[in-house]
Each structure stands twice: as C-alpha cells, then as structure tokens.
Amino acid sequence: MTHKRQREKPLILMLDDNPVNLEELAGLVDEAGFDVLRAETGEIALVQAVAQLPDLILLDVLMPGMDGFTVCQTLKTIPTTRDIPVLFMTALADTADKLKGFQVGAVDYITKPFQYEEVLARVQTHLTLQKLKLELQEKEQRLSRIFENAMDAILTLDEAGRITLFNAAAEQMFRCKAADSIGRAVDRFLSPELYKTLTNFRNGVPADQAIWVSEGMSAVRADESTFPIEATISRVEAVGQKLYILILRDINERKARQQAEAECNTLRGINLYLQEEVLASRDGEELIGNSPALHQAMDLVRQVANTDATVLITGETGTGKELIARAIHNLSARKDKTLVKLNCATIPENLAESELFGHEKGSFTGAIARKLGRFELANGGTLFLDEIGELPLEMQAKLLRVLQEGEFERVGGTQTLTCDVRVIAATHRDLAQFSQQGKFRADLYYRLNVFPINLPPLRERKEDVPFLVKHFIDKYAAKFGKKIQSIPERMMADLQSYFWPGNIRELQHIIERAVILTKGSQLAAVDCVNVMGAGAPTAAPIVTLDEAERAHILKALEATSWRIAGNQGAAKILGVPSTTLRSRMEKLGISKPA
C-alpha cells in the first residue's frame, strides 16, 4: 500500500515529450482544481514519482529514450509507487499496443487528440477509485489486526463449513498453523455436540443472527486432546454469500487467568499493607520487663499460640496489647504468613465493612477498583483487630458471621468467599459491661472471649520501669546519635513512683524527650513527670472554664481513641452533636496528636 503525503489537492504527474501538449494539458488539469507535476523524459518522471508520490500519473507512450511502457513497468517494481494508478496517453490505435499498456500495469488509456472533458472525467474517476481502494485496504488491514490481536480464537467458515480465516489465537489454542487449517472442514476441531450445534445454526435453527454456547461443550486440538470451551456463533452476509464466525475461549485458560489475577490482587494488597506497616511508627519492638505480671501474661501467650483459638487481649491504653498479639502470631504455626492489623477506632463507620471485607469496583462512589479487605489479606495468617470495642454494632453482626462460618462477601459483590484466619482482638473497654449496656453484642463478646489475656497497667509492674527506661534510652540515643551512660537517681525514683495513666507509651515519649534534651552522657532531667503521693493522682488545681472544658473534651476523646461521631464517639458521651464538638475543639485549639 502506498503511503501518500497529506495534501489539500490531488497531485497529478504528467509525462509528455511535447512541451506544447504538456503545457496545454497541465493548464486544463490545474483549472480543474488539481496540482500538477511536469516531466518531458521518462527518467525525470521516475525521479519525481519517487520523490513526490503523486496521486495519479498520465504517461505518453511514444517517447525518445525511455518510452511510456518502460516507465510504467519500472514504477510497478518500486514499492512506494507500484499502487499509483497510471493512465496512458496515446495516438496508437493498435489493440496490441493498448493491451501491452494494461500488461505493464496501466489502469486506463486516453486517446489523442484529447477530448478535455474525457480527460477530466477519466482522471476524476480513477482518483475516486484509488481513494476507495485505499480506504478499503485500510479497513481490511484494521480488521485483520483486530482478528490477529484478539485474545479469543476466531474462525470464519464458508457455507460449506470450510475454514476461511484462522487467527493467531486459534493457532495457539488448537496448536496448529493457519496454513494447515484454512480450506479444511471445521468439524476436525469441534466435538460432536458442538459440531451439531453449529450445523443446526447453519440450517437456520435457531434463526437468530448469533447464539451463545455456554459451558458444557468442548473443542479438539491438533493432537486430538479435548478441552472445555465457551463460544459465540454468528452469521453475516458478504459478497452475496453467508459466512459463519466462531469465537471460542478456553475455559481452563480463563479460569487460570482469573486465579492468577486473584493471586496477583492478593499479593498486591499484601504488598501495599506491608508497605504501610513499614512506614507506620511502632511503639516498642519487644516485650520488656521481668515482673511476675508480665511473666504470667507471657505464659498465657505460649499456651495459646500453637492453637487457632480466638484471643481477647484487654488492658489500658499503652500497655502493649499489639506486642502481645505479635508475640502470639510469631510463636504460632502461622508465623510465616501475614499478621494484618486494623484499628477499629480509626476507621469511619461507612468504610468499616470495606476495610474488613473489601469491595468491588463501582460498589460505591470512589470505588474505582476492586479492593481486598483485611480478612482476604490475612488468609492463612492472623488478623489483629485493635480497639474492637469501637466497632459499629452493624459490623459486629457481620464479624460474628465470619468468626462462626468463615464466610463473607465483598461490598457490592455477590460471590461468597471463604477464609482461614486466626483472629486476635484487643480493647481497653470492659466489653462485658458494654454488652450489658447494649453497646456491644453479647454473642460476639462470648465468641471473642475464648482465651482472655489481661495486661496489667504499668503502675502495677513498677519493677519493669528500669528495664523499659534503659530500652528506650538505648533506642533513642542510637536514633539521635547520642551516647548516654547514666540516669539521675532522683529521676529514676520519680519515674518509678509516677501513676502512669498513659502506661508504657507515655513512658516512651518522656524518655524520647529527655534524650533529645540531653547534652552530655547523663540523661537530662525532665519536669513533665508529676509524682503522685501514694501512687494516686492528687487533686487538680482550680482552672478557668475554658481550661476545664478543654480538659473534659480531651478526656472524652482519649477515652474514645479520638473518635468524634457515632454511637461510640466522644460527642455521644458528652451529649452534644458532633458538629458542636468539632466547633468547640477548633475554638479551644484541640487537635488529634500526630
């Protein structure tokens, strides 16, 4: 196919050794709205044809040197010019000469002396034919590319059932070349049941233009092996005859692709989750201490780790419940699988189901792709549900179903999925009391409370404070490039006598601040530790109304893990609308700590 340059008007190349004839004819063609190239010798005409690629060429036959026949024959041997239509201009009346012109590749001839209307009519006709020919070639090439690049096998059949087209996917599916298949009867590649279906369709049963062949049929490869397929069969009219089109898909390959896609999505989800885990800050790397209370908790961890029992870890905020969950996972048979975490207090109610069970593409506004939930990500491993007491009641029922039956559906999905997940839950709430108050489902509480582990607050294991202090000093000294060798005795005494309402997390933050302030080898003393008499908090001083309101709001926010709205939110506890609470927080400068 000739690739023409983009031009506004068709370009005509004229070859004639008579300058007068050439000028007169060129003027006529130019007035008709065409661009013209002139040549008085065959050699010049060939050079211009290759360089300019005209849309049509008019050649004089009788020329000194290279005649018109030779020029035309040469043009047809050059790939870029062989498709350009050539019209001969001749005074010869001999039929043999005209026949020779067609033999060397011309499409028409114009007899001299010229009738100018005839010249323009023939030129316009062959330009139109050439345009239609090129458009048809482009469509055929585009259709051929579609057929060849299709992932499904495509076969076309004539009315006798012989194969007329066999695309690349069909070659791969049937394991044979198109050249060995075209012209053969199609029954070679179809099971008797599928061939009967095709025969009935060719006979007009049913009369539809296309039918769908679902699972249950099979096709036959070149090596005689059979495989299950699904297919469409359709009929079309082309050039006065019926053609039949078979589009086939290997069901085994489709299922394998779906399985591979599912595994890819799972791995992608796990990868994203692990990236979040790496980026997220972690409070402490291991359980530190030597107190009897910690030894008792660890004994329970070792006893339950190798089972699949559900564990409920209770304790105040900051006592290390996540570290206990991680220890259970690392000591279990699931240690080589993923430990997936979800803090139920940090997810909005309307997204809780999607976070747990995932969602399908388009299931709600913003769901631009399928997302795997935490249960799918944790399949074969462990799911740690932190602050389980903050989970909305509606979601508690769905969680109970998964715990009991191991089944769930993604949001917007219809397929029931199964999972093998060991669940560890944690809370600082009294779930037994919550269930009595109707704030937590009693049946879910009993299902979670199979093996309870309670972590004592730091004030009940003060003998662990020196071990924890040393651990955090070493951690932050390495982080900030400092060398700390001692700690003031008075400061250690204060740390051991403090009430620690924030438990280990509060101690960690205090030591981090002290390390930052340290300038020498001795840990800097900090004044943020309020030593309480007899291990209990002292009476608070009288403050302004704004200060009292700010402290009260902060207390409610900390008790709800900074959840504002919802049945378990701070606004509900304070008895005000969530919008009012947000307004007061903004006025009082209250924001969630990073």
Side-chain angles (χ1 to χ4, degrees):
M1 178 179 170
T2 303
H3 297 279
K4 300 291 181 62
R5 296 186 175 90
Q6 293 293 328
R7 51 175 68 106
E8 294 182 0
K9 296 186 293 183
L11 178 63
I12 311 298
L13 170 61
M14 294 181 178
L15 169 61
D16 197 319
D17 63 331
N18 187 326
V20 176
N21 290 342
L22 187 62
E23 188 64 30
E24 185 178 2
L25 186 58
L28 172 70
V29 173
D30 182 68
E31 288 178 5
F34 303 113
D35 287 332
V36 180
L37 288 173
R38 302 171 179 84
E40 296 183 10
T41 67
E43 291 80 4
I44 294 176
L46 286 174
V47 172
Q48 290 184 330
V50 172
Q52 300 295 327
L53 296 179
D55 296 284
L56 184 139
I57 301 174
L58 294 173
L59 293 182
D60 192 10
V61 173
L62 298 178
M63 300 277 297
M66 184 182 291
D67 64 12
F69 294 137
T70 305
V71 173
C72 182
Q73 196 168 19
T74 305
L75 287 170
K76 298 305 174 182
T77 64
I78 302 172
T80 56
T81 61
R82 64 187 175 196
D83 292 329
I84 300 174
V86 175
L87 281 70
F88 278 120
M89 302 180 295
T90 179
L92 299 175
D94 190 345
T95 302
D97 290 324
K98 294 178 181 178
L99 181 60
K100 183 178 179 181
F102 288 119
Q103 289 173 342
V104 297
V107 297
D108 205 347
Y109 65 91
I110 304 171
T111 304
K112 297 180 180 179
F114 301 129
Q115 296 293 327
Y116 295 134
E117 294 80 3
E118 179 187 4
V119 173
L120 293 178
R122 289 180 182 273
V123 167
Q124 187 64 60
T125 297
H126 286 288
L127 285 174
T128 301
L129 288 174
Q130 181 68 0
K131 179 181 179 183
L132 294 175
K133 178 183 175 181
L134 295 176
E135 289 177 352
L136 180 59
Q137 287 178 343
E138 290 177 357
K139 290 179 180 178
E140 289 177 345
Q141 290 179 353
R142 186 161 56 247
L143 183 60
S144 177
R145 287 194 297 270
I146 292 172
F147 273 84
E148 287 305 309
N149 294 326
M151 296 182 65
D152 295 329
I154 302 177
L155 288 70
T156 62
L157 316 174
D158 60 18
E159 291 187 84
R162 292 185 296 267
I163 299 172
T164 60
L165 184 143
F166 201 81
N167 74 340
E171 290 183 321
Q172 184 176 2
M173 175 180 287
F174 291 103
R175 298 173 186 170
C176 61
K177 296 295 184 181
D180 300 328
S181 306
I182 292 176
R184 299 183 60 182
V186 74
D187 60 344
R188 163 66 184 81
F189 298 106
L190 309 180
S191 66
E193 296 83 1
L194 182 55
Y195 183 67
K196 182 179 179 181
T197 301
L198 172 62
T199 302
N200 290 339
F201 182 75
R202 286 165 55 200
N203 292 333
V205 182
D208 301 336
Q209 287 298 110
I211 61 172
W212 165 254
V213 180
S214 58
E215 296 187 24
M217 297 286 186
S218 60
V220 184
R221 292 192 173 94
D223 59 6
E224 304 294 337
S225 61
T226 61
F227 59 98
I229 59 95
E230 54 189 7
T232 59
I233 305 175
S234 57
R235 61 168 63 90
V236 295
E237 294 281 346
V239 198
Q241 65 174 340
K242 290 182 180 178
L243 292 178
Y244 300 91
I245 301 174
L246 274 71
I247 302 177
L248 302 102
R249 181 176 301 164
D250 187 331
I251 292 176
N252 290 335
E253 289 186 1
R254 173 173 61 78
K255 290 182 177 178
R257 284 197 298 268
Q258 290 175 342
Q259 178 66 25
E261 181 183 357
E263 291 176 357
C264 182
N265 286 336
T266 299
L267 291 174
R268 187 180 296 113
I270 291 174
N271 183 51
L272 290 174
Y273 174 77
L274 292 177
Q275 289 180 29
E276 293 173 359
E277 281 286 277
V278 171
L279 294 174
S281 61
R282 287 166 52 183
D283 295 332
E285 300 294 332
E286 51 187 292
L287 292 163
I288 306 296
N290 196 35
S291 64
L294 184 60
H295 281 301
Q296 182 180 2
M298 288 306 301
D299 286 341
L300 293 176
V301 167
R302 284 185 283 269
Q303 291 176 42
V304 77
N306 280 323
T307 73
D308 275 339
T310 303
V311 178
L312 179 62
I313 306 172
T314 58
E316 295 179 8
T317 298
T319 52
K321 296 185 288 294
E322 181 181 331
L323 295 180
I324 291 294
R326 192 179 298 277
I328 294 172
H329 174 76
N330 290 339
L331 293 173
S332 74
R334 298 172 180 262
K335 62 183 178 181
D336 294 328
K337 298 293 184 177
T338 310
L339 170 65
V340 176
K341 300 183 299 181
L342 179 64
N343 190 325
C344 301
T346 61
I347 54 175
E349 287 189 38
N350 60 333
L351 295 180
E353 185 174 2
S354 172
E355 287 292 331
L356 282 171
F357 309 124
H359 62 250
E360 298 289 351
K361 179 180 179 180
S363 55
F364 54 85
T365 303
I368 60 175
R370 172 187 288 179
K371 176 185 176 181
L372 303 185
R374 302 302 170 101
F375 271 97
E376 281 187 87
L377 294 176
N379 192 31
T382 305
L383 176 60
F384 175 51
L385 298 176
D386 198 8
E387 298 300 345
I388 190 70
E390 315 308 316
L391 194 67
L393 284 170
E394 179 184 356
M395 288 308 305
Q396 292 177 24
K398 296 183 178 182
L399 175 60
L400 180 63
R401 179 199 172 195
V402 183
L403 294 177
Q404 291 178 337
E405 303 173 15
E407 296 180 347
F408 64 94
E409 291 86 31
R410 299 191 192 101
V411 177
T414 57
Q415 181 183 4
T416 298
L417 305 173
T418 59
C419 62
D420 172 26
V421 175
R422 195 239 186 105
V423 173
I424 301 175
T427 182
H428 72 282
R429 303 284 192 185
D430 184 342
L431 292 188
Q433 183 180 4
F434 260 39
S435 63
Q436 293 175 1
Q437 297 172 350
K439 298 179 180 178
F440 198 86
R441 290 181 65 102
D443 48 4
L444 178 59
Y445 167 64
Y446 297 133
R447 184 65 183 78
L448 292 172
N449 199 38
V450 174
F451 196 92
I453 297 178
N454 180 259
L455 284 181
L458 186 56
R459 59 183 172 274
E460 294 179 11
R461 40 179 288 216
K462 291 188 176 182
E463 57 266 57
D464 289 338
V465 170
F467 296 99
L468 290 165
V469 169
K470 182 180 184 306
H471 170 73
F472 291 133
I473 288 176
D474 292 342
K475 175 180 177 179
Y476 290 111
K479 179 179 179 180
F480 300 123
K482 298 188 178 183
K483 189 174 182 179
I484 300 176
Q485 299 175 335
S486 62
I487 178 174
E489 292 184 6
R490 176 62 182 172
M491 182 177 179
M492 178 61 76
D494 289 346
L495 292 173
Q496 287 186 282
S497 60
Y498 182 50
F499 188 70
W500 295 114
N503 292 289
I504 299 172
R505 185 176 295 119
E506 184 182 3
L507 172 62
Q508 177 182 0
H509 294 162
I510 287 175
I511 298 302
E512 181 180 10
R513 179 188 177 195
V515 170
I516 293 173
L517 294 173
T518 299
K519 296 181 179 179
S521 61
Q522 186 179 66
L523 184 70
V526 291
D527 57 4
C528 58
V529 178
N530 183 17
V531 180
M532 304 299 176
T538 60
I542 297 175
V543 296
T544 66
L545 286 176
D546 279 352
E547 290 174 332
E549 182 183 9
R550 190 177 193 280
H552 191 55
I553 291 176
L554 282 171
K555 183 177 179 181
L557 289 169
E558 290 171 357
T560 60
S561 299
W562 287 83
R563 171 174 282 185
I564 296 174
N567 291 331
Q568 310 297 331
K572 183 77 171 179
I573 294 176
L574 296 172
V576 297
S578 60
T579 53
T580 301
L581 177 56
R582 292 182 193 276
S583 175
R584 296 304 300 165
M585 289 171 62
E586 183 177 356
K587 179 180 178 181
L588 297 171
I590 300 174
S591 59
K592 186 176 180 179

